[in-house]
Structures are given as C-alpha cells and as structure tokens.
C-alpha cells in the first residue's frame, strides 16, 4: 500500500455496536480496518445487513464508533464533537441516499441552495452555484425550478447529487444510490458519480449490494457479517 500521507481515509479497528435490549448488543461493524486513496470510486459491497450503512454513517460522522479510529485528511473524525463535527458534515462530506431525501416543499434549485445557505453563502452566489451544479449533474434549466414530485427518480437523484456537491466536499458518501432506480437509470447515476472522481477530484464511496455496480468501482471493499473480507483494487 502507498504511504499514509497519500491516503484520504484511514480506518483502524473500527467497531460499532448497537444495543438490542438492556443486556444484548449487536456488532454492525466488527473490527474493520482499511485505507483508501483520494479521487477514486470505492464500492462497499455485501449482502443486506452486513454493515454497509453503519460504516458509511461512521465515515460521515452521522454516528460515533464504539471503538477504533477514522482519520480523513488528517482529521480524527471519530473524535469530533459539537461545532467541529457539524462543520465536517457540512463541508468535508456530501451524502446521497437511496430515497434521495429531498425537501418536498422546496424546488430542485432550493434543495441545492440549502447547504450553501447553512454555510453562510450570499443568496446570489447560492443561486448561481446551484444552477451550475444542476447543469453539471444533467438537470436542465426547465427542470430546476420544479419540486421533487414533478421529477423522475433519476432526476431526483441528480438533484440529491448536486446538493451533496453544494459545499465542494472532498468525499461523497452514497448509500445504495441506485436502489430505487431501474437498471438503466441506475447505470447513468453511477457514471455520474464516477465522473466526479478524477474529473473533479472527489473521492466517492458507494455502498451497494449490487455486484454490477460494485464492479464499476476502482476499489471494492467486500463486507460480510460486519467484517471486511476483502479489498480489491481494479488496476
Ligand atoms: N440503530 C440500530 N440499532 C440496532 N441494530 C442496528 C441499527 N442499525 C443497524 N443495525 C443492525 O446492524 C446490522 C448492519 O446493518 P446495516 O449497517 O444497515 O447493514 P447494510 O447497510 O449492509 O444492510 C444489521 O444487523 C442491523 O439490523
Ligand atoms: Mg444499508
């Protein structure tokens, strides 16, 4: 493996347990270690329940590990609290989910402007930036002022990707991003995510149970029963 400095993400001995009752716990992630370079697409592959979502949530600081460390660009994510933790979520990572989670009362444009607003960007800059991002993900001007209910699933996912890019994060975390789409649309979304790697300098991590989607990635992390069972590098 290349040296530590070149790695964007270093995960060491990661454990996440959930309590299922007063006396019992389940380990959703159980002693996982890996390191990942920047500007690649990485797939986390494995059957339902193997711990993919839990791992992504830990990487995105949506959840705290029970044990182990996550270091992203030298930041110890597992030890972030309060404002540092929210800054990390707002600026360093962008999230894409299976069900898009767009805000239904806002237009596509406004959904993309929202994270810019949270960051304190001026309104004019927000709109110009959001329109540029929507163009970039393939949503033309005639669709940008529509609410999510007037967009197809694939279009909604494009908006969600534009929103994830709003604050220029280094890392995009996508949890089953094609899980609600037909296979042709899903392929296009994966190509879009892939185009963000070398072309735009993002590191894209996609959790999927779909082997075809995982095959498109540069690196595949395979999980089973909360453990990492292999790491495969495509090149
Ligand atoms: N909040 C939670 N409380 C209890 N168990 C959980 C929780 N989240 C996940 N789990 C359990 O952890 C395991 C891994 O879940 P998850 O990370 O969602 O897997 P995947 O995304 O691969 O389907 C499963 O057994 C799941 O039931
Ligand atoms: Mg999942």
């Amino acid at each position: 493996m290349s040296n530590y400095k070149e790695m964007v993400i270093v995960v060491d001995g990661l454990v996440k347990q959930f309590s299922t009752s007063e006396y019992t716990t389940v380990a959703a992630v159980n002693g996982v270690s890996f390191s990942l370079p920047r500007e690649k697409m990485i797939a986390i592959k494995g059957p339902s329940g193997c711990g993919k979502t839990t791992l992504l949530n830990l990487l995105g600081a949506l959840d705290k590990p029970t044990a182990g460390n996550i270091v992203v660009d030298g930041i110890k994510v597992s030890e972030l609290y309060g404002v540092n933790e929210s800054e990390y979520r707002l600026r360093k990572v962008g999230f894409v989910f299976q069900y898009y989670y767009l805000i239904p009362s806002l237009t596509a444009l406004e959904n993309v402007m929202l994270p810019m607003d949270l960051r304190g960007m001026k309104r004019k800059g927000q709109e110009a930036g959001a329109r540029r991002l929507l163009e970039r993900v393939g949503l033309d001007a005639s669709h940008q002022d529509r609410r999510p209910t007037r967009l197809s699933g694939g279009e909604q996912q494009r908006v969600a990707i534009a929103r994830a890019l709003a604050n220029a994060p280094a890392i995009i975390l996508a949890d089953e991003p094609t899980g609600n789409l037909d296979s042709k649309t899903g392929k296009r979304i994966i190509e879009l995510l892939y185009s963000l790697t070398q072309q735009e300098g993002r590191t894209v991590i996609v959790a999927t149970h779909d082997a075809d989607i995982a095959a498109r990635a540069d690196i595949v992390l395979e999980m089973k029963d909360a453990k990492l069972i292999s790491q495969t590098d495509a090149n």
Side-chain angles (χ1 to χ4, degrees):
M1 278 251 89
S2 12
N3 77 56
Y4 180 89
K5 286 250 159 41
E6 286 173 9
M7 296 298 170
V8 65
I9 297 173
V10 181
V11 166
D12 185 32
L14 197 65
V15 176
K16 178 65 187 182
Q17 295 175 340
F18 293 107
S19 325
T20 44
S21 76
E22 204 174 335
Y23 305 108
T24 56
T25 58
V26 58
V29 170
N30 195 6
V32 167
S33 305
F34 55 83
S35 37
L36 300 171
R38 59 187 75 247
E39 296 180 26
K40 299 281 182 195
M41 181 184 268
I42 297 107
I44 302 172
K45 177 174 96 165
S48 177
C50 72
K52 304 181 296 296
T53 294
T54 304
L55 178 56
L56 277 196
N57 289 347
L58 294 169
L59 290 172
L62 293 176
D63 213 345
K64 277 266 181 293
T66 309
N69 284 310
I70 300 171
V71 180
V72 173
D73 275 343
I75 305 167
K76 239 181 171 184
V77 177
S78 32
E79 290 176 6
L80 293 176
Y81 284 94
V83 71
N84 292 332
E85 189 183 24
S86 19
E87 278 292 294
Y88 172 83
R89 280 197 298 256
L90 187 61
R91 291 163 181 272
K92 199 78 187 173
V93 291
F95 296 94
V96 176
F97 302 97
Q98 178 174 358
Y99 297 106
Y100 331 124
Y101 296 147
L102 299 175
I103 295 179
S105 59
L106 300 180
T107 65
L109 179 75
E110 290 163 345
N111 268 278
V112 181
M113 288 165 66
L114 195 58
M116 299 174 176
D117 200 52
L118 290 173
R119 187 185 41 158
M121 195 176 176
K122 290 219 170 64
R123 177 97 193 171
K124 239 189 175 155
Q126 286 178 28
E127 178 165 349
R131 291 208 187 274
R132 202 174 327 112
L133 283 172
L134 286 166
E135 288 290 336
R136 169 66 183 83
V137 299
L139 198 81
D140 64 54
S142 70
H143 290 63
Q144 294 175 4
D145 299 303
R146 293 191 189 181
R147 294 215 177 96
T149 49
R150 295 188 52 225
L151 297 170
S152 70
E155 287 164 351
Q156 288 183 62
Q157 197 57 300
R158 286 175 193 277
V159 176
I161 293 169
R163 178 183 58 184
L165 291 168
N167 289 335
I171 301 165
I172 299 286
L173 301 171
D175 195 358
E176 307 276 4
T178 64
N180 203 36
L181 302 172
D182 64 80
S183 68
K184 198 169 150 200
T185 309
K187 278 211 182 82
R188 291 201 181 120
I189 291 296
I190 287 299
E191 289 313 313
L192 171 60
L193 287 169
Y194 196 87
S195 75
L196 303 173
T197 57
Q198 288 98 322
Q199 211 174 312
E200 306 222 349
R202 323 271 170 205
T203 302
V204 178
I205 306 183
V206 181
T208 181
H209 63 271
D210 184 326
D212 290 342
I213 284 166
R216 184 68 180 94
D218 301 305
I219 295 168
V220 180
L221 302 178
E222 189 175 3
M223 288 185 74
K224 194 184 171 197
D225 299 335
K227 292 190 189 296
L228 187 67
I229 57 168
S230 70
Q231 173 165 354
T232 323
D233 203 324
N235 35 50

